[in-house]
């Protein structure tokens, strides 16, 4: 049994017993953010970028096919953020029990590759690309009603180096006591209206997840971080994806504040966690 998986499962179980299911909202899901590191390709003349693309895609696809707990996943690789070897995988689960079960699902490789030799080859081909490193970065709540999904079909031309661009940023909800005539019900209604009439109508935005604090990060003074995982086809599309006209159409030029009143001023209080590339063939 893999000691890392065993420890991860024990930690998740310990956390799970301290929090009831009811502490995240009905219909929402759980997203885990895990971090890994590539082996530098320049130090291994036997590995190319094409090898990396095909090995990683084949490994992840085989596991995705047999995993019942994993609803979706997104692989993020270095672009304008962090170190060149950084890799993040965002996994989505129905609830913490499924996330916990998946973390300890030690026979998933046996199910993905029934033949022992094929399994050994697949694992060897995949593991050669990664350092012996793993970090659990976040456990977040995914607001399904606010999600825009990528519905594009794969072209067969995707590689790790030519994937879509993904920005990760954080805005901050105000304490409800600071919002004039505000309520949790109205805030969710405004968020849903924004998702449906702004984000989903913006053809520059390929996909977006809206995530909030669950078991990671911090809350100071009641200010709640809201994570935006937003996918674009290119940097040019990201730069051109302004929402002002769509906001005016959705709320009216005089009433955009009905949405923005729930957030701290973006110029005063926001965080850009980075710009990444995603590798669609390894996603679910």
């Amino acid at each position: 049994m893999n000691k890392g998986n065993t420890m991860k499962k024990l930690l998740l179980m310990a956390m799970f017993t301290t929090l009831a299911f009811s502490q995240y909202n009905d219909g929402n899901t759980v997203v885990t953010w895990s971090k890994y590191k590539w082996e530098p390709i320049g130090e291994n003349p036997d590995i190319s970028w094409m090898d990396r693309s095909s090995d990683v895609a084949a490994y992840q696809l085989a596991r995705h096919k047999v995993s019942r707990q994993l609803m979706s996943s997104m692989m993020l690789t270095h672009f304008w953020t962090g170190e060149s070897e950084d890799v993040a995988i965002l996994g989505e689960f129905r609830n913490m029990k499924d996330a916990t079960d998946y973390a300890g699902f030690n026979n998933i490789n046996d199910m993905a590759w029934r033949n022992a030799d094929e399994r050994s080859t697949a694992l060897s081909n995949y593991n050669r690309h990664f350092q012996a490193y793993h970090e659990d970065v976040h456990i977040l709540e995914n607001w399904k009603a606010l999600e825009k999904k990528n519905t594009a079909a794969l072209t067969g031309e995707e590689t790790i180096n030519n994937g879509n661009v993904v920005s990760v940023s954080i805005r901050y909800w105000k304490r409800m006591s600071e919002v004039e005539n505000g309520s949790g019900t109205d805030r969710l209604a405004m968020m849903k209206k924004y998702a449906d009439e702004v984000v989903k109508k913006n053809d520059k935005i390929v996909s977006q997840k809206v995530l909030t604090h669950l078991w990671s990060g911090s809350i100071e003074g009641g200010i709640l971080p809201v994570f935006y995982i937003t996918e674009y086809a290119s940097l040019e599309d990201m730069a051109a994806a302004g929402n002002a006209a769509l906001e005016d159409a959705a709320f009216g030029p005089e009433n955009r504040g009905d949405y923005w009143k729930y957030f701290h001023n973006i110029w005063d209080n926001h965080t850009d966690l980075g710009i990444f590339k995603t590798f669609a063939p390894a996603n679910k």
Side-chain angles (χ1 to χ4, degrees), residues 156-176:
E157 301 298 321
E158 294 86 359
T159 71
I160 285 173
N161 291 325
N162 73 1
N164 285 351
V165 173
V166 176
S167 70
V168 182
S169 61
I170 307 176
R171 298 172 189 165
Y172 297 88
W173 278 335
K174 294 178 181 177
R175 291 187 295 269
M176 198 60 71

Side-chain angles (χ1 to χ4, degrees), residues 203-246:
D203 60 5
K204 301 298 185 185
I205 297 176
V206 176
S207 73
Q208 186 177 86
K209 275 184 166 63
V210 180
L211 313 171
T212 54
H213 174 90
L214 191 58
W215 285 350
S216 58
S218 61
I219 298 178
E220 298 183 20
I223 300 171
L224 188 68
V226 184
F227 292 69
Y228 291 82
I229 315 293
T230 310
E231 180 182 3
Y232 309 88
S234 64
L235 278 175
E236 291 76 16
D237 278 3
M238 184 175 73
N243 285 325
L246 288 167

Side-chain angles (χ1 to χ4, degrees), residues 9-284:
K9 183 176 182 181
L10 290 172
L11 287 171
L12 282 169
M13 289 178 66
M15 295 168 67
F16 178 64
T17 59
T18 67
L19 191 71
F21 281 119
S22 60
Q23 287 200 239
Y24 47 86
N25 294 272
D26 287 345
N28 288 352
T29 56
V30 172
V31 168
T32 61
W33 180 314
S34 300
K35 182 178 176 180
Y36 306 87
K37 291 183 179 293
W38 294 127
E39 283 283 4
I41 280 185
E43 297 179 8
N44 190 338
D46 297 326
I47 299 178
S48 69
W49 280 106
M50 291 306 297
D51 292 331
R52 177 160 290 178
S53 295
S54 60
D55 290 343
V56 170
Y59 176 86
Q60 295 291 358
L61 180 60
R63 288 168 57 94
H64 293 339
K65 286 181 177 179
V66 300
S67 172
R68 297 180 302 276
Q69 296 96 338
L70 184 66
M71 296 176 64
S72 73
S73 70
M74 174 181 274
M75 174 178 279
L76 302 179
T77 59
H78 171 82
F79 190 39
W80 280 3
T81 304
E83 300 180 0
S84 59
E85 68 266 27
D86 288 350
V87 180
I89 296 180
L90 281 63
E92 180 188 5
F93 305 89
R94 290 177 183 82
N95 49 52
M96 276 308 307
K97 181 179 185 303
D98 278 2
T100 304
D101 289 346
Y102 183 81
F105 190 11
N106 295 308
N107 66 336
I108 187 171
N109 291 334
D110 295 342
M111 295 177 63
W113 298 276
R114 296 293 185 180
N115 181 279
D117 291 336
E118 292 178 359
R119 180 167 60 252
S120 177
T121 298
L123 293 176
S124 177
N125 287 343
Y126 182 77
N127 289 333
R128 64 179 176 160
H129 297 287
F130 290 91
Q131 300 178 34
Y133 177 90
H134 174 94
E135 179 182 349
D136 293 317
V137 182
H138 292 294
I139 301 177
L140 300 162
E141 179 175 359
N142 177 38
W143 291 76
K144 292 294 287 184
L146 309 180
E147 183 173 359
K148 180 177 182 177
K149 294 186 177 182
N150 181 353
T151 58
L154 296 179
T155 66
E157 301 298 321
E158 294 86 359
T159 71
I160 285 173
N161 291 325
N162 73 1
N164 285 351
V165 173
V166 176
S167 70
V168 182
S169 61
I170 307 176
R171 298 172 189 165
Y172 297 88
W173 278 335
K174 294 178 181 177
R175 291 187 295 269
M176 198 60 71
S177 60
E178 298 177 356
V179 181
E180 184 177 358
N181 298 320
S183 70
T185 300
D186 182 65
R187 181 175 65 187
L188 179 57
M190 291 296 101
M191 296 285 288
K192 183 70 165 57
K193 183 178 180 69
Y194 197 94
D196 290 341
E197 300 183 28
V198 179
V199 174
K200 292 179 183 179
K201 291 184 178 181
N202 189 331
D203 60 5
K204 301 298 185 185
I205 297 176
V206 176
S207 73
Q208 186 177 86
K209 275 184 166 63
V210 180
L211 313 171
T212 54
H213 174 90
L214 191 58
W215 285 350
S216 58
S218 61
I219 298 178
E220 298 183 20
I223 300 171
L224 188 68
V226 184
F227 292 69
Y228 291 82
I229 315 293
T230 310
E231 180 182 3
Y232 309 88
S234 64
L235 278 175
E236 291 76 16
D237 278 3
M238 184 175 73
N243 285 325
L246 288 167
E247 286 181 19
D248 284 347
F251 296 95
E254 304 302 320
N255 298 313
R256 289 165 64 179
D258 292 345
Y259 170 77
W260 287 109
K261 72 179 182 180
Y262 287 102
F263 292 87
H264 282 273
N265 189 310
I266 192 170
W267 302 114
D268 295 335
N269 197 350
H270 84 280
T271 303
D272 294 317
L273 292 185
I275 301 173
F276 304 85
K277 287 277 193 177
T278 187
F279 181 42
N283 296 345
K284 181 177 181 180

